[in-house]
Amino acid sequence: MTIVRARSLSGAVLPIFLDPSSAARVARAVAAKLLGVEEERVRLLAAGNGALLLDGTSLEEQLEFFTLDESTTVAEVTVIVMSEPDEETLEQELLCAARADSFTDLLPRRVLELSRKNLGVLPASLGKLVSLRTLNLSDNRLARLPDSLDGLVELQVLDLSHNSLACLPEGFGRLNSLEVLHLGQNQLEDLSDGFCELNSLQVLHLEGNSLVSLPGNFGQMGSLQQLYLCDNELRALPETFGMLVRLHTLECRNSLLSTLPRGFSQLARLTAVDLYSNLLQALPEDFGLLHELRVLNIDGNQLVSLPQGVELPLLETLHIEGNALRTFPEVVGRFAGLRCLRAEGNQICELPENFGQLHDLQSLFLARNQLVSLPESFGNLSSLQRLQLERNQLECLPDAFGRLGMLRFLNLTWNRLSSLPASFVEHLLDLVLCLRAYSCYLFCLCVCVCVCVCVCVCVRVCV
């Protein structure tokens, strides 16, 4: 039997029984008539998806349920409509939902959507929704949370981002089922040791707070897979950090890290690390043990070199822009799978001869360095498509430059080139033909009395 049920503060539950084979479109039409809104404004929620919606504005704008395929048979639709999201009304609806045993039975998985309701406080009765799976409280004015929150023992997803939280309830760590937690863009200055009892947590967002440190027992959250710590004031990561052996994504941009903790290389499952704009002067010598690493961003630090023994066979993207590198790390030539390399804004004077071993490299950014020449092996970069060498001190190009058959974008502006190799001119004809098709930039090249103009890439030769 298919049941469509609407409920509001102004009226009782109104059940409508339909034929078991009724499709979603039939139930949608009935619900629309029942609620007095246009049919296309109504999305239906199946019991299998189990969600609870409290709407703080108009139905036309805010009534949102999981959309069902038109061939889907709807088990039940429950609509809870709130005209004003004040605390008293909210508590009435929460208590009502908590007492509705049949509602709990029919909807074993629940979603409570309370984002952007201008809420400044939450009632203690929130903790009575013991079957709640997902709770969204983002974009409100919450400065504190009720102590009863730890009663949500089945909660798996909690979004508290974009509020004004300065601390969390003492029992917050007892949310043992929590898997995804959004705490970004709050005012948190520290976390208690009890926070790290969230043993099921897999995704943690803490970006945009005022955290100076993390709890010493942070490493005991052994299920953690994704960690976002950007835009804080962290000066160090705890020594237990290496215990997060399931971690595969780490973002800690715009912080104050000067070193990485011992044991960082034990994070063997890391595939993406973003440490942009910190104060790192060196990476651990055993950093190369991160064999699964595919993306590494260490732009905007104070690195003068990379560890010599680094072996990162799967690395595809390396960003080392804006550091203090004078000599290009020879170890990079061993990153055979590298596809994108950004090293602008350093003080690099030369590239190692093994640089030409990067056969998969497609994008290379070396602008704003001190390069005077390129190695002859540079012509072996057979996959290179984009090359930016502007604002260097280049006086010549290697004879093998013309072998860059895949090159489509080239910038040599603000260098000291007075001549070009014959292979470059031969290749230039093909390059110009390809670039004309893209028609992006003006391409000017002066070689003796020959001037070639096209519209895609700008190369300026300074005599």
Side-chain angles (χ1 to χ4, degrees), residues 223-274:
S223 298
L224 204 58
Q225 299 178 23
Q226 301 176 41
L227 177 59
Y228 303 91
L229 297 169
C230 304
D231 300 297
N232 279 282
E233 300 175 19
L234 294 170
R235 299 181 181 276
L237 298 176
E239 290 299 318
T240 59
F241 201 81
M243 297 169 59
L244 303 175
V245 294
R246 296 185 181 180
L247 194 67
H248 63 72
T249 300
L250 171 63
E251 292 188 9
C252 190
R253 302 164 61 97
N254 300 316
S255 286
L256 302 172
L257 298 179
S258 58
T259 60
L260 295 178
R262 290 193 303 269
F264 190 87
S265 60
Q266 297 174 14
L267 305 174
R269 296 189 184 182
L270 274 178
T271 60
V273 174
D274 189 346

Side-chain angles (χ1 to χ4, degrees), residues 384 401-408 410 421-434:
L384 195 61
F401 199 92
R403 297 206 303 266
L404 302 176
M406 297 295 293
L407 196 61
R408 295 294 180 270
L410 174 63
S423 63
F424 183 91
V425 177
E426 294 170 1
H427 170 68
L428 175 64
L429 297 177
D430 292 333
L431 180 65
V432 170
L433 288 174
C434 293

